[in-house]
Amino acid sequence: KAGVTQTPRYLIKTRGQQVTLSCSPISGHRSVSWYQQTPGQGLQFLFEYFSETQRNKGNFPGRFSGRQFSNSRSEMNVSTLELGDSALYLCASSLSPLYEQYFGPGTRLTVT
Amino acid sequence: KNEVEQSPQNLTAQEGEFITINCSYSVGISALHWLQQHPGGGIVSLFMLSSGKKKHGRLIATINIQEKHSSLHITASHPRDSAVYICARVPPTGTASKLTFGTGTRLQVTL
């Protein structure tokens, strides 16, 4: 079975731009979560989607948003990028919200 | 104070040594997740446990719910075990996704 895939793997953007990151979960997994990892704050939960509905959201500003499609693929969007948004963005999938998660390789976003 | 604390922050060991990484948490959990992150960023899930002990190859994870403490042990360590090990709290709120992470333990195993 293929693992969680994330695209793109690397991205460079300029302050003020917006960005969309994509995550394809393991086949059959319906729950997708997103995490941000920075050297200063470590790993932090962004949001969780299950069956196209956002179930939980972390403490991030409204510039961070996401969605999940009927095939369980998910996207997250960051608008009006700031330098502090430079991070590794990780996606994880599971069969459902109560099951163990499996992580993707991440998208490394650099904001200049 | 962080909800999840790990020790030590950094650990250097020689090949073959027995390694212990500790994780303490201050609020309720439904389970504890141990993760491994290699340079380059990819994260691998090692264990998710809510009681007792789990073993997979040379890795053993234990948890003591009363003491709010978990340990990850690596027996017969090898340079390929060099990575950052992260524990994460799974909240008792009906989801295993809203994880709270420790700061990680950076392990280097030398020949």
Side-chain angles (χ1 to χ4, degrees):
Chain A
K1 226 182 213 184
V4 179
T5 57
Q6 292 187 245
T7 56
R9 293 291 312 278
Y10 303 91
L11 203 48
I12 300 174
K13 289 284 189 179
T14 304
R15 264 182 306 176
Q17 288 186 314
Q18 75 159 10
V19 68
T20 299
L21 311 182
S22 181
C23 171
S24 292
I26 292 170
S27 177
H29 284 195
R30 294 167 59 202
S31 180
V32 173
S33 296
W34 289 89
Y35 300 90
Q36 182 198 62
Q37 186 177 35
T38 60
Q41 299 295 319
L43 273 160
Q44 293 182 282
F45 170 78
L46 275 159
F47 20 65
E48 173 198 5
Y49 288 89
F50 178 65
S51 294
E52 302 177 66
T53 302
Q54 187 180 90
R55 294 185 80 240
N56 284 289
K57 189 176 196 301
N59 290 331
F60 281 82
R63 300 185 297 107
F64 290 80
S65 63
R67 58 179 176 166
Q68 186 180 33
F69 302 96
S70 58
N71 62 358
S72 295
R73 190 177 71 84
S74 177
E75 288 181 346
M76 67 162 280
N77 185 77
V78 188
S79 62
T80 321
L81 283 165
E82 300 177 0
L83 294 178
D85 297 333
S86 294
L88 180 68
Y89 290 88
L90 290 150
C91 161
S93 78
S94 59
L95 284 169
S96 79
L98 293 178
Y99 284 78
E100 186 172 354
Q101 295 177 82
Y102 295 87
F103 286 79
T107 294
R108 190 165 294 279
L109 170 66
T110 302
V111 182
T112 62
Chain B
K1 192 179 190 295
N2 291 335
E3 289 180 0
V4 181
E5 300 272 358
Q6 278 186 247
S7 64
Q9 281 192 308
N10 294 284
L11 186 53
T12 301
Q14 284 201 308
E15 184 178 12
E17 283 186 13
F18 180 85
I19 288 161
T20 296
I21 298 170
N22 296 298
C23 177
S24 298
Y25 52 92
S26 56
V27 294
I29 66 166
S30 64
L32 199 81
H33 213 139
W34 280 101
L35 307 165
Q36 179 193 56
Q37 186 172 34
H38 279 282
I43 288 181
V44 174
S45 171
L46 298 175
F47 299 103
M48 190 165 83
L49 70 167
S50 55
S51 64
K53 178 170 144 177
K54 284 192 175 182
K55 184 175 189 291
H56 186 259
R58 295 180 295 106
L59 299 176
I60 303 166
T62 63
I63 189 166
N64 184 319
I65 298 294
Q66 286 73 30
E67 295 189 3
K68 294 189 169 59
H69 181 267
S70 176
S71 293
L72 177 68
H73 305 286
I74 305 175
T75 62
S77 59
H78 189 276
R80 66 174 174 265
D81 297 325
S82 298
V84 176
Y85 293 83
I86 303 166
C87 68
R89 167 187 170 260
V90 181
T93 54
T95 178
S97 301
K98 197 174 179 181
L99 300 175
T100 306
F101 298 88
T103 52
T105 294
R106 187 174 299 275
L107 170 65
Q108 179 152 6
V109 182
T110 58
L111 291 169

